[in-house]
Amino acid sequence: MKLARRLALVTGGASGLGEATVQWLLAMDAFVAVIDKDATRLQAMQGLAPERLATAAIDVSDEVAVASFLDASIARFGELRLCVNAAGVGGLGATATPEGPLPMAELRRIFEVNLFGTFNVARLAAARMLHNRPEGEADERGLIVNVSSISAFQPLEGAAAYCASKAAVAALTRPMAYDLARHGVRVNAVAPGIFETPMLASLPPDVKRDLAANVPFPQRCGKPAEFAAAVATLVDNPYFNGTVLRLDGAAR
């Protein structure tokens, strides 16, 4: 899929995996629409390529705001060809302890962004991609890349709500791909392992060291640029569809 002078949408694009993806897209001469709740970081990003960048400090689960931003970006830059759903939140908390159960509000907070927000943006992006002109040998109209996690497959103790939200994103991949296949829109997911992101930075240093030590090779945390490279692979190879791509240095 060609991305030069084409529009891509990245959620969670002001930091971590999303920011690395935005930087790669700009290097590819793409137009980029970025959604993130951190208005300060979005403002700082504007200087990267103001003529090719649009930003919005909105919630990914807000249907009206996301739809409006998408339509404005398409009107400015043209057809939406790529959507990368990198917005996500973490959350630690056991299902129950002697002090009580995990608050339902915490479960809703995590699912609101990781699952509902991902599905909301994906469906709104897909609805617009269906009207794109088919291109290439496969008559492709677009690509959606969702972000799961290896915790969807090897759950972490004390993070049931987070793991369940990422497992749900992985489970969405194939049925969403089936729904959109007849229209020439592919859907894949990347399931990152332990990556250098603000979410990881919030953990205690000893926890971060232990996590990195459990990665077989390379024995370190992943770099956000390596996530962007995985997205590039999915973009370049049209036979990737309905796939959850593990990116974890063999961590199990």
Side-chain angles (χ1 to χ4, degrees):
M1 179 190 295
K2 297 177 181 178
L3 290 177
R5 314 307 288 182
R6 298 297 181 84
L7 175 61
L9 170 70
V10 181
T11 71
S15 65
L17 306 181
E19 183 179 19
T21 304
V22 170
Q23 291 171 346
W24 165 70
L25 286 165
L26 291 175
M28 295 292 292
D29 199 32
F31 300 119
V32 190
V34 182
I35 292 176
D36 199 288
K37 292 193 73 175
D38 191 332
T40 301
R41 289 187 65 89
L42 286 177
Q43 183 65 32
M45 291 182 74
Q46 283 289 347
L48 294 175
E51 74 286 355
R52 290 190 288 120
L53 193 65
T55 63
I58 55 179
D59 193 316
V60 288
S61 63
D62 187 329
E63 176 179 0
V64 174
V66 173
S68 177
F69 178 61
L70 272 177
D71 289 339
S73 298
I74 291 169
R76 178 181 174 188
F77 297 124
E79 295 175 342
L80 176 67
R81 290 284 169 173
L82 173 65
C83 170
V84 180
N85 284 309
V89 295
L92 296 176
T95 304
T97 67
E99 287 71 41
L102 182 76
M104 286 301 293
E106 178 65 0
L107 180 71
R108 292 190 184 96
R109 180 187 72 85
I110 293 171
F111 268 67
E112 191 70 26
V113 177
N114 294 356
L115 178 58
F116 301 151
T118 293
F119 192 86
N120 181 51
V121 175
R123 71 189 183 89
L124 293 172
R128 286 150 179 81
M129 289 177 177
L130 301 190
H131 300 285
N132 289 351
R133 295 162 294 174
E135 291 186 344
E137 182 182 352
D139 285 340
E140 189 171 5
R141 288 187 167 90
L143 168 63
I144 295 170
V145 179
N146 297 324
V147 179
S148 179
S149 165
I150 61 166
S151 66
F153 313 106
Q154 278 79 40
L156 304 171
E157 181 180 355
Y162 175 78
C163 295
S165 71
K166 289 301 187 178
V169 171
L172 278 176
T173 304
R174 188 170 295 172
M176 191 177 284
Y178 285 164
D179 283 347
L180 300 173
R182 71 188 68 183
H183 305 291
V185 175
R186 295 186 290 129
V187 183
N188 293 289
V190 179
I194 311 304
F195 269 69
E196 297 171 356
T197 65
M199 194 180 298
L200 180 70
S202 67
L203 298 176
D206 58 329
V207 174
K208 289 186 285 186
R209 283 195 300 270
D210 290 345
L211 288 172
N214 286 326
V215 180
F217 184 80
Q219 196 170 70
R220 58 168 173 79
C221 297
K223 301 175 182 178
E226 292 169 324
F227 171 85
V231 174
T233 297
L234 296 174
V235 169
D236 290 339
N237 191 332
Y239 213 61
F240 271 115
N241 195 19
T243 297
V244 179
L245 185 65
R246 293 187 65 134
L247 188 66
D248 56 17
R252 298 290 188 273

